[in-house]
Amino acid sequence: MEHVGRHFEKDRKSGSELLNIASWKHDVALEQYLVDEDLIVWEHGAWKTSDGKSRRASSDSSDED
């Protein structure tokens, strides 16, 4: 995340359109990775950062009966 933050700072200083999310390309692989790692969740029609609690951990524990 720090690496991405540096790109945002650099582009903001140069006046780049990076902060205009309409200009972003949809990265399906990154989106799936973030969902798989429980870093983002889809709530109320929008992506949000997750609360940091892994949903996999709670579902995996039920498999160990």
Side-chain angles (χ1 to χ4, degrees):
M1 294 306 284
E2 184 176 326
H3 175 86
V4 173
R6 282 181 286 185
H7 284 284
F8 279 126
E9 290 171 359
K10 183 184 95 183
D11 291 337
R12 180 180 50 86
K13 289 177 183 174
S14 70
S16 177
E17 285 290 315
L18 182 63
L19 296 178
N20 176 6
I21 62 171
S23 68
W24 293 3
K25 295 180 183 169
H26 185 202
D27 187 334
V28 177
L30 175 60
E31 182 180 290
Q32 189 59 53
Y33 169 78
L34 295 172
V35 169
D36 291 346
E37 295 299 318
D38 299 315
L39 297 171
I40 61 172
V41 293
W42 184 260
E43 290 182 354
H44 311 291
W47 288 111
K48 300 186 186 232
T49 54
S50 72
D51 59 8
K53 297 177 183 174
S54 177
R55 290 184 307 276
R56 277 185 295 177
S58 61
S59 65
D60 289 346
S61 62
S62 63
D63 294 337
E64 297 179 18
D65 290 13

